[in-house]
Amino acid sequence: MAADDAIDPTDEAIGEDEITSTVVPGSTLITDATVDTCAPGAAAAAAGGAAAGAAATTVASRKRNAFTELLAAQAPRSPANSSSSSSAPSFASVFPYPAKTVTLAAARHDRHAGPVVFSGREGLGAYVHEPTAFPPERVIYHDANFVVINDLYPKASVHTLLLARNPRRNRLHPFEALDPATDAGFLAEVQAEVRKLRRLVAKELQRRFGRGSALDQARQRALDEDHAGHDGGDHERPLPPGRDWSRSVISGIHASPSMSHLHIHVLSVDRVSEHVRQRNHYNSFATPFLVDVADFPLAAADPRRHPARHGYLHRDLVCWRCGRNFGNRFARLKEHLLLEQEAWMRE
């Protein structure tokens, strides 16, 4: 194995990086990384913007583009109603600083409460336990059953994680958690939420890349004309359908997950990111190691149940778009993926 393909067991190879978190209900977000690595003023913005809660937002005007507003990068905002049990979808740039250690300081009224600590493989539990403690750059939306976050170390242009909050299911291995023989209702809920998140990711891809896509040009012209007030009437014209960005979204669980809490990856197909650093980073999303939730229930003899036996992570590096085999030449694959990403965006 080439040196640049070596797997570092201390590196988070597959999904959300491991974090150490201390959570106390009603707390304010403070991070070691905020103090150590943020630009001047960023620490105050991070701490001030992570107050508990994010109320659902209503977009009243039909002319306004909800995703342009909700998905655009923005500073964390204080919620209008912190008692809400759910929040409006809000894609933004990935959390602006690495957070190996996250500490949520106890609120004054609850300072005697004992902390709940999430460390190592338990790191995703911080979001499940108290999603309102994180700003919208991290938590896209949440309700009583699910939390959706931007992956801290994304492996594609858009990379989200769907976290289940059901305490009876969310600590099980995905093959057990999604087994309909034990809870068919839970599998149906997860599959429905994955479909919803896939639609949101597709809309975000269209928002980011639609203007440069050949298949989206007619739709973009119609949007520009409507925005300029040249629609020729008092009512909106139906927009041309444009490019089907849902075909550029992949999703699934990892056959051997690195984190304890059940999480489903929903991401763009390009697999281009500075965080794709080695062979298993790429292969975990380019081989049967990624198991589509829509494929459940899996047959007992399904080979994906035994990822180590089939060596998915150690397979040759094959371009997802053109099928070219790069063997173990990871650096060459990375260069090639940048070219394929440009072509994919222009389709």
Side-chain angles (χ1 to χ4, degrees):
M1 181 181 296
D4 62 355
D5 295 319
I7 299 172
D8 180 357
T10 65
D11 183 39
E12 175 48 55
I14 302 168
E16 175 80 2
D17 202 341
E18 296 180 1
I19 60 173
T20 302
S21 306
T22 303
V23 177
V24 178
S27 55
T28 300
L29 180 67
I30 303 172
T31 74
D32 293 347
T34 305
V35 177
D36 295 338
T37 64
C38 282
T57 301
T58 301
V59 180
S61 171
R62 294 171 58 199
K63 287 286 188 180
R64 293 167 63 186
N65 184 332
F67 281 92
T68 298
E69 297 181 0
L70 290 175
L71 310 188
Q74 55 185 308
R77 295 177 296 183
S78 298
N81 179 7
S82 60
S83 63
S84 173
S85 61
S86 63
S87 65
S90 178
F91 283 83
S93 59
V94 75
F95 203 48
Y97 44 82
K100 285 292 184 181
T101 302
V102 178
T103 302
L104 301 180
R108 291 181 180 179
H109 69 275
D110 201 23
R111 62 182 181 274
H112 298 300
V116 181
V117 179
F118 301 92
S119 62
R121 290 176 59 89
E122 306 298 318
L124 293 178
Y127 306 107
V128 174
H129 179 77
E130 191 57 66
T132 59
F134 296 89
E137 286 85 355
R138 294 295 290 125
V139 175
I140 300 169
Y141 72 84
H142 64 90
D143 59 25
N145 298 317
F146 298 100
V147 179
V148 173
I149 67 172
N150 282 305
D151 196 301
L152 186 60
Y153 294 95
K155 303 304 189 291
S157 295
V158 178
H159 188 171
T160 66
L161 298 179
L162 174 67
L163 312 177
R165 304 186 79 179
N166 184 328
R168 294 180 293 105
R169 314 298 298 174
N170 69 359
R171 298 295 306 282
L172 301 176
H173 188 282
F175 293 153
E176 184 178 357
L178 301 176
D179 184 355
T182 56
D183 193 336
F186 180 71
L187 172 59
E189 288 178 3
V190 170
Q191 289 173 329
E193 200 69 23
V194 168
R195 290 192 294 269
K196 171 184 172 181
L197 183 53
R198 286 177 62 96
R199 291 192 295 270
L200 286 175
V201 170
K203 287 181 179 292
E204 171 65 356
L205 290 174
Q206 187 170 53
R207 184 190 73 84
R208 292 192 189 186
F209 306 129
R211 189 165 293 278
S213 170
L215 293 173
D216 258 346
Q217 291 308 298
R219 184 178 184 276
Q220 289 296 327
R221 284 194 296 270
L223 283 171
D224 290 343
E225 290 171 1
D226 284 351
H227 181 71
H230 298 154
D231 55 3
D234 295 331
H235 61 279
E236 294 182 6
R237 298 174 301 172
L239 288 173
R243 178 173 172 176
D244 182 7
W245 287 96
S246 67
R247 299 181 64 180
S248 294
V249 180
I250 59 176
S251 58
I253 56 94
H254 280 144
S256 181
S258 58
M259 304 296 279
S260 298
H261 288 79
L262 177 64
H263 57 286
I264 298 93
H265 300 266
V266 181
L267 65 158
S268 54
V269 75
D270 56 312
R271 303 171 179 91
V272 170
S273 167
E274 63 178 314
H275 301 294
V276 179
R277 298 192 180 107
Q278 53 199 31
R279 184 206 297 248
N280 59 334
H281 288 171
Y282 179 78
N283 276 346
S284 66
F285 294 101
T287 70
F289 192 85
L290 184 72
V291 183
D292 196 330
V293 171
D295 292 347
F296 282 82
L298 297 183
D302 193 306
R304 292 172 293 182
R305 291 183 177 274
H306 307 284
R309 181 184 304 171
H310 297 280
Y312 296 135
L313 295 181
H314 304 287
R315 285 186 174 182
D316 284 356
L317 296 162
V318 177
C319 174
W320 65 270
R321 191 166 183 268
C322 72
R324 179 178 172 184
N325 190 322
F326 287 83
N328 67 351
R329 295 173 296 169
F330 182 71
R332 293 289 301 277
L333 172 71
K334 288 272 287 185
E335 295 171 357
H336 178 78
L337 290 178
L338 288 173
L339 299 176
E340 292 288 14
Q341 183 193 43
E342 288 295 325
W344 162 72
M345 290 189 296
R346 291 196 301 266
E347 286 179 358

